Amino acid sequence: MSTTAAPSVFGARSGLLARANPVVKLLGALLITVVVVVSADPVTNAAVLAGQLVLLAGVGLGPVRLLATLWPVVVAALVSGWGTAMLSPEGGTVLVQLGWVTVTTGSLAAGGAIALRGLAIALPGITVLLTTDPTDLADGLAQTLRLPARFVLAALAAMRLVEVMITEWSVLAAARRARGAGGRRGPWGMLREFGGQAFTLLVQSLRRATRLAMTMEARGFGAGPRTWARSLHYSRVDVVVGAAVLLTALGGPALSLALGTHRFIWQ
């Protein structure tokens, strides 16, 4: 399956990142994630997040498409940031005072840092998902990292099923509305509708996983050493992507160190 022509609910996988070796992207995502996880200051998180957005914009993943695709992650980051702002003991000038809820400049800064950190942690993994064909990633895990074939094939099947589940969620929503079971209004009605649809998807997923496992066992997957039809190669694109990832991962801590604001999570 071609990397640039793989069908996806996220859109066509094309561009510079799509042509890069999946192992390079995976290791780069792990590096960025580790840097953000061990750094607690907002300067590092903001700089790393900005670097990722610039990199994605340079390969055709602009802010509009990213926001349309990743809006649940953005909402989750904003909710976590707002919760931290309300509960943080950080002092400063009082901005909002509503009963037991007090938001100060210090707590608002802490909430913003948490929101930035959440986005910076989530974006690398999502970028790998958006720009990588599952088959190419499985080939990289098996041939470059030498992971066991059983694990690689299970990961490949799981990644393929992610898009299937997203598509089935839309189909279930349309089917429920066609039967008159959807379109409830109000928070409680929407929650009940979401719960019923999620339970249906869970049952279908378990059935599909059982059939898939039996089929793979019947065809000998995981029975012993396997050969791989395609071999992965490294190119100049991997050098460019690797350099951009290193610049993004190390530029954030370097900037915060230069400004004297860098702080590890254990400090």
Side-chain angles (χ1 to χ4, degrees):
M1 181 177 292
S2 172
T3 303
T4 59
S8 171
V9 295
F10 303 109
R13 293 187 174 102
S14 59
L16 183 68
L17 285 178
R19 297 196 302 271
N21 190 290
V23 176
V24 173
K25 291 184 286 186
L26 182 61
L27 295 179
L30 291 176
L31 175 62
I32 292 177
T33 302
V34 169
V35 169
V36 175
V37 167
V38 300
S39 300
D41 62 288
V43 175
T44 299
N45 298 331
V48 172
L49 179 61
Q52 295 181 69
L53 293 177
V54 170
L55 177 61
L56 291 175
V59 297
L61 291 174
V64 176
R65 180 183 172 187
L66 279 177
L67 185 60
T69 304
L70 307 181
W71 67 265
V73 179
V74 177
V75 171
L78 293 177
V79 170
S80 63
W82 178 246
T84 302
M86 290 192 299
L87 300 176
S88 176
E90 299 289 343
T93 305
V94 177
L95 300 177
V96 177
Q97 179 73 50
L98 295 175
W100 61 272
V101 177
T102 302
V103 178
T104 65
T105 54
S107 64
L108 188 61
I114 289 296
L116 288 175
R117 193 162 184 256
L119 289 174
I121 290 175
L123 193 56
I126 296 175
T127 301
V128 174
L129 178 63
L130 289 174
T131 62
T132 305
D133 182 76
T135 304
D136 291 339
L137 180 59
D139 288 336
L141 294 177
Q143 299 176 36
T144 304
L145 301 182
R146 305 295 182 183
L147 296 181
R150 182 181 289 271
F151 170 81
V152 171
L153 293 173
L156 172 59
M159 290 187 65
R160 287 295 188 193
L161 288 178
V162 168
E163 295 184 359
V164 174
M165 291 178 63
I166 295 175
T167 303
E168 285 197 355
W169 179 267
S170 301
V171 173
L172 285 173
R176 288 173 63 86
R177 289 190 178 92
R179 295 196 303 267
R184 296 182 180 179
R185 297 183 179 180
W188 179 245
M190 295 175 62
L191 183 61
R192 289 184 59 186
E193 181 178 349
F194 176 83
Q197 189 169 327
F199 180 76
T200 304
L201 182 63
L202 174 62
V203 173
Q204 289 189 0
S205 301
L206 292 175
R207 291 176 178 174
R208 185 185 297 273
T210 302
R211 292 195 301 267
L212 181 60
M214 294 176 61
T215 302
M216 294 179 69
E217 288 291 340
R219 295 184 177 181
F221 286 93
R226 300 190 62 85
T227 58
W228 306 95
R230 300 180 302 179
S231 58
L232 294 180
H233 303 283
Y234 295 91
S235 63
R236 296 179 181 177
V237 173
D238 302 313
V239 177
V240 173
V241 172
V245 169
L246 284 176
L247 181 62
T248 300
L250 302 181
L255 178 61
S256 61
L257 286 173
L259 296 176
T261 60
H262 188 270
R263 180 167 58 90
F264 291 104
I265 56 175
W266 53 82
Q267 292 178 332

